[in-house]
Amino acid sequence: MVLDGQDRWRLNNALPISSQIYALLRDRIVRNEFAPGERISEAEIAKLCEVSRQPVREAFIKLAGENLLEIRPQRGTIITKIAYTAVLDARFLREAIEADIVSILASRSDTALVRELRDQVSRQRELGQSRSAEFIQLDEHFHHTLAQEAGKGGAWKLLEGLKSQMDRVRFLSLSQFPIGRLVAQHSALVDRIERGDVSGANAAIRTHLREVLTDLPSILAANPQFFDLPDGTVLQPANAPIQGGIDHEH
């Protein structure tokens, strides 16, 4: 699927149309190119893609299921705000799943896998701070590799649908993305997998996946209009405190 200028989006007719429209819209929403509160319509997207409204409707329904769109009958469809509680829930679930994934990998340390992971970390390190969006792609590939090699590709696919709100936060933080620290954490995780250090790998991935909590207060302060806060308050995560001094009661 290729974005063709500003007038239309070119789709591959050999592939499912609805899935392509879903992927294109999801990517733009996650990258915050479509802002919360912005209206989009089936008719406009169908025109851009030069298709009927049916596959667009199917894509909208799937995006609404991920809480990225709110479909209001007779009133239109809008981009949702980032659900703060969904960010915390997705991070919590991701930590639980990936902790088991790296424990599996460390318990059967594989030389070929370690070599592949080190190659990936080297490519991440070469990007530098100015290419945060590219780092996010490499980071996704790194974590996907961990899941695949542990035989948990299905669990990763499930996570992809759950962590869309978390991904929106990551793209809001591009200007302050701690690439150096994240790469160092990836490298330390690979070291523990190589040594067969199950408890160390488990601890390393948990520390790594709690990194997003460090930046949440400043991201919220800079972009309050992007977030949907329950009752206007900031909840503490269940298993890791938010950094930066925010300390609200549940």
Side-chain angles (χ1 to χ4, degrees), residues 34-67:
F34 288 157
E38 185 174 344
R39 290 181 178 272
I40 61 173
S41 75
E42 290 179 7
E44 290 172 348
I45 300 301
K47 183 178 180 180
L48 285 172
C49 297
E50 298 183 335
V51 298
S52 70
R53 292 176 63 167
Q54 180 59 33
V56 179
R57 184 174 299 115
E58 293 171 1
F60 275 24
I61 290 171
K62 189 172 181 180
L63 290 164
E66 292 186 27
N67 198 29

Side-chain angles (χ1 to χ4, degrees), residues 124-125 129 135 176-189 204 207-208 210-215 243:
Q124 295 167 13
R125 190 175 288 115
Q129 185 59 45
F135 174 79
Q176 60 192 63
F177 219 62
I179 289 180
R181 187 160 70 245
L182 295 176
V183 172
Q185 290 171 359
H186 283 172
S187 182
L189 173 61
T207 296
H208 177 61
R210 293 178 186 185
E211 190 71 39
V212 68
L213 299 175
T214 302
D215 299 327
Q243 304 298 313

Side-chain angles (χ1 to χ4, degrees), residues 4 11 34 46 92 98 106 125 133 155 161 170-172 194 201 203 235:
D4 184 20
L11 307 181
F34 288 157
F92 178 85
E98 292 204 51
R125 190 175 288 115
R170 298 180 81 201
F171 275 98
L172 277 178
E194 182 178 34
L235 298 176

Side-chain angles (χ1 to χ4, degrees), residues 93-115:
L93 288 170
R94 186 173 179 183
E95 178 180 323
I97 291 171
E98 292 204 51
D100 279 352
I101 284 172
V102 300
S103 295
I104 291 170
L105 296 175
S107 69
R108 61 183 196 210
S109 182
D110 182 293
T111 302
L113 171 61
V114 169
R115 186 184 308 115

Side-chain angles (χ1 to χ4, degrees), residues 24 40 42 62 125-126 139 141 154 175 191:
L24 190 153
I40 61 173
E42 290 179 7
K62 189 172 181 180
R125 190 175 288 115
E126 290 169 0
D139 177 69
H141 180 53
S175 63
D191 288 343

